[in-house]
Amino acid sequence: EAQVTQNPRYLITVTGKKLTVTCSQNMNHEYMSWYRQDPGLGLRQIYYSMNVEVTDKGDVPEGYKVSRKEKRNFPLILESPSPNQTSLYFCASSLNPRGLRTEAFFGQGTRLTVV
Amino acid sequence: AQTVTQSQPEMSVQEAETVTLSCTYDTSENNYYLFWYKQPPSRQMILVIRQEAYKQQNATENRFSVNFQKAAKSFSLKISDSQLGDTAMYFCAFMRPNFGNEKLTFGTGTRLTIIP
């Protein structure tokens, strides 16, 4: 089954404790992206990756890091989480950034609470 | 920069009725994609329908259809014969395809409740 898998689904952590949210896709997609969803703001892009070892900032990258060492994996790293990073996070992937027909597949979401 | 506006934070409708969710966007691009995503209580983001800007024909997927007005930059979603399972948050999204970032720009969402 084609899917994007995020882990964990829920996470409560304390300010300053480094954490990683994993994202893996089994569709051989080149393009992957992270979004955060906040009430009244919709979803906003954090980082994206066009392919292995190619990453770049989205609209709200402050406080986050990513890596793309393998095509299937695109982890989101919070080196020193703060309460304003409490949010619902989504990983998404799509087939080919150069394709005319493109559809984003989303993971199940990770609810992060930083206290 | 592109913006997407959903002016109806919440809507409710009786089961089996028809409901229309509004979306407007702002862009200077001529080639782009528009989407409606559904987010039920499970939080999963589910693609409902998509529209390519170069296509004049409005997209349809079973009970879901859109009214795409390119000149007015409007992209509304019509749900016919609404069902309880349609209760969800609905997001309108815009994407400008290019050779780099295929970023989705989302509206703030409309929470739709179907009343039994």
Side-chain angles (χ1 to χ4, degrees):
Chain A
E1 179 188 357
Q3 59 184 1
V4 179
T5 303
Q6 288 180 232
N7 280 296
R9 296 283 311 273
Y10 300 90
L11 179 61
I12 301 175
T13 190
V14 296
T15 299
K17 185 178 182 181
K18 180 180 178 180
L19 67 92
T20 300
V21 183
T22 64
C23 174
S24 180
Q25 49 94 3
N26 63 359
M27 296 167 280
N28 202 36
H29 285 172
E30 293 184 0
Y31 182 86
M32 298 184 75
S33 184
W34 277 101
Y35 293 85
R36 62 176 287 174
Q37 181 182 348
D38 301 290
L41 296 176
L43 284 79
R44 294 175 292 165
Q45 190 187 55
I46 303 170
Y47 266 95
Y48 69 96
S49 169
M50 290 173 58
N51 213 324
V52 175
E53 302 292 1
V54 181
T55 64
D56 206 348
K57 297 176 181 179
D59 294 326
V60 287
E62 294 76 21
Y64 304 95
K65 288 175 55 178
V66 293
S67 69
R68 188 90 181 272
K69 294 184 171 60
E70 306 164 283
K71 200 170 188 178
R72 63 171 29 233
N73 296 323
F74 188 45
L76 179 69
I77 304 157
L78 284 72
E79 294 270 2
S80 182
S82 62
N84 64 12
Q85 292 178 297
T86 292
S87 186
L88 178 59
Y89 291 87
F90 285 99
C91 179
S93 74
S94 57
L95 178 59
N96 185 336
R98 291 165 292 283
L100 289 178
R101 179 173 177 83
T102 182
E103 175 184 338
F105 291 82
F106 283 83
Q108 316 98 302
T110 296
R111 170 72 70 186
L112 172 65
T113 302
V114 183
V115 298
Chain B
Q2 288 78 25
T3 59
V4 177
T5 302
Q6 293 179 250
S7 58
Q8 305 152 312
E10 295 185 13
M11 296 186 71
S12 60
V13 66
Q14 292 290 138
E15 189 177 7
E17 292 186 349
T18 296
V19 60
T20 299
L21 280 59
S22 300
C23 173
T24 59
Y25 58 94
D26 186 26
T27 184
S28 58
E29 302 289 332
N30 189 52
N31 182 32
Y32 50 87
Y33 295 88
L34 294 163
F35 306 86
W36 277 99
Y37 280 91
K38 170 185 178 181
Q39 187 180 50
S42 65
R43 303 188 325 227
Q44 181 69 34
M45 292 291 287
I46 302 166
L47 178 65
V48 175
I49 201 166
R50 58 180 283 157
Q51 175 80 43
E52 290 89 344
Y54 64 88
K55 289 186 177 179
Q56 292 186 335
Q57 186 174 7
N58 289 325
T60 299
E61 290 286 345
N62 301 313
R63 297 183 295 108
F64 299 88
S65 61
V66 298
N67 183 3
F68 174 48
Q69 302 288 329
K70 191 172 183 179
K73 296 179 183 176
S74 171
F75 183 60
S76 61
L77 174 70
K78 185 172 82 170
I79 306 174
S80 303
D81 186 28
S82 57
Q83 302 174 0
L84 296 179
D86 296 332
T87 292
M89 181 73 88
Y90 287 81
F91 290 99
C92 178
F94 171 100
M95 191 192 77
R96 175 176 66 90
N98 57 32
F99 297 118
N101 188 8
E102 286 195 336
K103 181 180 72 175
L104 286 162
T105 299
F106 287 87
T108 52
T110 295
R111 185 173 301 280
L112 176 65
T113 301
I114 308 300
I115 303 166

